[in-house]
Amino acid sequence: MIIGIPKEIMHGEDRVAAIPSTVEKMVKDGHKVLFEKGAGVGAFFPDEDYKKAGAEILENVEELYNRSDVILKVKEPLFNEKLNKHEVDLMHKGQYLITFIHPANPVNHQMVKDMTAKGVVGLTLDGVPRISRAQNMDALSSMSTCAGYKGIILAADVLPKFIPMIVNAAAGMIKPCNALVIGTGVAGLRAVATAKGLGAKVYSADLRPDANEQAMSLGAKIVDTGVPVEIGCNYDPEAKKYTAKKLPDEWLEKERQALAQAVADSDIVFCSALLQGKLAPVIVTEEMVKSMRPGSTIVDISIDQGGNCAITPFGAVETKHGVVLQGIKNIPGMLPTSSTLMFANNIYNLLAYLVKDNKVVLDENDEIVKGILVCKDGKLVHAGAREAMGL
């Protein structure tokens, strides 16, 4: 097959979908790799290294899309201002796209519809199930690690006060900041550890008992959501783990009420509560934001799936009601070298899993394929996207 790796066009996105070592693996697997010139420079991987690994370096990205059977990307298709064309318009019928599509997010609905109509086969990395045999292709977990770490650093950067307790002979004692982490999956746990390491007093909330136990082990004090386990979670006895499920409206409101005081008392609120393949639940309302102290900040890394805070600006940073709201879409892209290393290996492992006899084979009874498949043969099949679109 011919595999194309274009440069990411989203502003500030320096990640790339392959590193020289994964290109070398693809070539050894019998594929031809087309690599857009300069695509790895932002992550500090020069073109020469890709060329040595066996890639053909192309300056014309339209040629790359035209020739490729499979496109590997980091972010969803976007409008290319340089070409005055949308990336979907560069694709062709029967072409496979593997990237983070986030098809349930309303801002992506038109793009997903256009991609479906074009006959592109869309495979979204945010749908990789959290099962043992998919661990090495779970890019969402890898990028969540980056987002959890960097998200707390971003919070620290805008706070007008110290995070740790400061004792000074001249000024006395300054109390530590309060940090609340909502959702303690991979990103949330990294956020807890980072905030704790910076000296914050850390609180956390999650519907899953095992997630709460892990947060406590890192030093967080648990805030009870008020939601019974059987209402908020599904339990997989084989994997011995809980997964959060969509709450009925009345229970979501009870969760908000249970967390309201903790949000009001927090200097940092880190939002990372997600539902697999669905819109993120809105947990922090505008009224809750109003209750926070001026100068506080909310870092909402669930923004790609709609956001946990009702007024988080999509892809931007804004101050509302005296609170700095951070809805940056590509926080892992702020750690381009580390995140690219992780991402490139994840996407290669998924590609290798899907390819049989030198072509992509999609077994729709397979749990991994069911989770990632967005559109195929001109049909939108992704359940979360269909639900969000009201189909």
Side-chain angles (χ1 to χ4, degrees):
M1 292 189 307
I2 300 177
I3 298 169
I5 300 160
K7 183 175 181 176
E8 297 299 317
I9 60 173
M10 191 175 82
H11 178 70
E13 180 56 83
D14 289 325
R15 288 175 293 174
V16 63
I19 55 177
S21 63
T22 59
V23 168
E24 187 175 4
K25 289 179 183 178
M26 291 179 216
V27 172
K28 285 182 178 178
D29 291 341
H31 308 305
K32 184 172 183 60
V33 178
L34 307 180
F35 190 85
E36 185 179 357
K37 184 178 180 180
V41 171
F44 302 96
F45 295 102
D47 289 339
E48 188 60 32
D49 289 353
Y50 289 99
K51 190 174 181 180
K52 289 177 181 177
E56 179 183 345
I57 309 298
L58 295 179
E59 290 194 39
N60 188 335
V61 71
E62 291 187 83
E63 179 186 353
L64 183 148
Y65 273 97
N66 187 53
R67 290 172 57 189
S68 298
D69 302 305
V70 180
I71 295 292
L72 304 182
K73 275 178 51 61
V74 178
K75 301 301 292 184
E76 70 273 20
L78 300 167
F79 185 78
N80 189 319
E81 295 179 358
K82 184 178 178 181
L83 298 176
N84 199 32
K85 290 182 180 180
H86 200 284
E87 286 182 309
V88 171
D89 295 326
L90 301 177
M91 298 177 193
H92 56 260
K93 184 178 180 180
Q95 191 172 52
Y96 293 87
L97 171 68
I98 306 177
T99 186
F100 279 115
I101 299 174
H102 300 292
N105 192 329
V107 301
N108 292 330
H109 286 178
Q110 189 59 52
M111 176 270 292
V112 170
K113 290 176 182 177
D114 293 343
M115 192 168 64
T116 302
K118 192 105 181 187
V120 173
V121 183
L123 303 169
T124 186
L125 293 166
D126 54 290
V128 174
R130 297 285 175 81
I131 56 177
S132 57
R133 64 190 177 92
Q135 283 182 340
N136 69 353
M137 55 189 84
D138 188 358
L140 186 60
S141 287
S142 294
M143 296 306 97
S144 292
T145 298
C146 299
Y149 166 80
K150 190 65 174 179
I152 293 297
I153 302 300
L154 291 172
D157 194 46
V158 302
L159 279 183
K161 57 178 75 173
F162 291 115
I163 286 183
M165 180 177 72
I166 297 293
V167 179
N168 182 280
M173 185 188 79
I174 298 175
K175 293 181 179 180
C177 283
N178 291 334
L180 171 64
V181 177
I182 300 175
T184 49
V186 175
L189 290 174
R190 176 46 52 191
V192 167
T194 304
K196 194 71 178 176
L198 290 173
K201 192 171 183 180
V202 183
Y203 300 83
S204 71
D206 200 291
L207 299 175
R208 300 163 294 176
D210 47 357
N212 288 327
E213 289 176 10
Q214 290 175 305
M216 279 195 295
S217 73
L218 293 172
K221 184 175 181 181
I222 306 303
V223 180
D224 187 359
T225 64
V227 179
V229 175
E230 62 272 16
I231 297 292
C233 303
N234 291 316
Y235 181 69
D236 183 346
E238 185 176 339
K240 296 182 179 179
K241 63 183 293 185
Y242 293 89
T243 55
K245 60 185 180 182
K246 185 177 180 180
L247 292 177
D249 290 344
E250 63 270 24
W251 282 104
L252 181 57
E253 182 56 35
K254 288 179 181 179
E255 182 183 20
R256 291 170 181 149
Q257 293 171 6
L259 297 181
Q261 191 58 52
V263 170
D265 292 340
S266 296
D267 302 288
I268 298 169
V269 175
F270 181 91
C271 297
S272 61
L274 295 173
L275 297 170
Q276 187 83 25
K278 297 180 182 293
L279 283 174
V282 176
I283 297 171
V284 180
T285 65
E286 184 169 6
E287 287 304 310
M288 292 164 77
V289 175
K290 289 179 180 179
S291 73
M292 296 176 69
R293 287 184 287 269
S296 301
T297 186
I298 294 175
V299 179
D300 193 347
I301 72 160
S302 66
I303 194 65
D304 272 320
Q305 288 176 229
N308 290 147
C309 174
I311 58 171
T312 303
F314 185 78
V317 178
E318 294 178 10
T319 299
K320 298 179 181 179
H321 310 302
V323 176
V324 181
L325 300 168
Q326 305 194 53
I328 301 169
K329 273 173 55 66
N330 63 328
I331 293 176
M334 296 178 169
L335 297 167
T337 300
S338 293
S339 57
T340 289
L341 281 166
M342 299 167 81
F343 182 90
N345 280 292
N346 292 146
I347 201 169
Y348 168 76
N349 290 332
L350 177 58
L351 179 68
Y353 178 81
L354 296 174
V355 172
K356 308 286 189 298
D357 297 324
N358 209 28
K359 64 179 181 180
V360 175
V361 177
L362 299 179
D363 176 4
E364 295 183 45
N365 293 315
D366 180 87
E367 188 175 358
I368 295 172
V369 173
K370 282 196 293 185
I372 66 174
L373 185 59
V374 175
C375 52
K376 181 186 177 188
D377 300 328
K379 297 178 181 178
L380 176 61
V381 298
H382 189 275
R386 292 182 63 83
E387 179 185 327
M389 293 180 190
L391 300 177

